[in-house]
Amino acid sequence: MLRAVFETEPKIHIVAYDGLTVNFCKSIGANYMIRGIRTVSDFEYEKGIAQMNHSLAPDIESIFIVSKPGYSSISSTVVREILRYNGDISQFIPKEALAFL
C-alpha cells in the first residue's frame, strides 16, 4: 500500500525490517528518523521512544513533524471501524490505498 502511495516519489523508499529501528538506521547509514505526531498523547509516546533510541544510538536524531489540524483526528483505528461498517473512507486515506482495502 505504501509503495503504491509513494510510487511517484523517487526520494522515498519503503523497506521492511525486523529488530530495533536504531539498528536498521545504522545498517542503512541513516542519521535521522522522522516521526509524525497528531496529538499530545502521540507526542508523549514518541518522546519516550526517541529518548530510548537516543540512549541506544546517540548519533541518530529523531525529528517530529506535527500533522495539519484537519488530520489530527484520523487514526487507523477510526478508519478501520468506518470500513468495518461499510462506511466511505475515501476522504481519510490516499486514493492509491483504496485498491488494497
Side-chain angles (χ1 to χ4, degrees):
M1 191 182 310
L2 288 171
R3 285 186 178 96
V5 170
F6 293 106
E7 184 176 51
T8 61
E9 299 289 340
K11 293 182 180 180
I12 295 178
H13 303 279
I14 311 298
V15 181
Y17 66 93
D18 289 318
L20 295 174
T21 301
V22 291
N23 290 343
F24 175 71
C25 289
K26 288 176 185 179
S27 75
I28 63 168
N31 296 315
Y32 304 95
M33 286 187 277
I34 299 174
R35 308 289 293 187
I37 295 178
R38 295 171 298 136
T39 63
V40 171
S41 59
D42 282 353
F43 173 75
E44 290 297 327
Y45 175 77
E46 293 293 343
K47 181 180 77 166
I49 290 175
Q51 290 170 334
M52 289 289 126
N53 285 337
H54 185 73
S55 294
L56 295 170
D59 52 325
I60 299 174
E61 292 290 334
S62 294
I63 299 171
F64 299 136
I65 296 179
V66 179
S67 72
K68 292 180 180 179
Y71 296 129
S72 65
S73 63
I74 300 172
S75 72
S76 60
T77 302
V78 172
V79 171
R80 280 193 305 269
E81 187 75 5
I82 294 169
L83 188 60
R84 178 177 173 204
Y85 293 105
N86 300 315
D88 180 11
I89 59 168
S90 62
Q91 64 182 319
F92 305 118
I93 66 170
K95 66 182 182 312
E96 297 86 357
L98 285 172
F100 295 90
L101 305 174

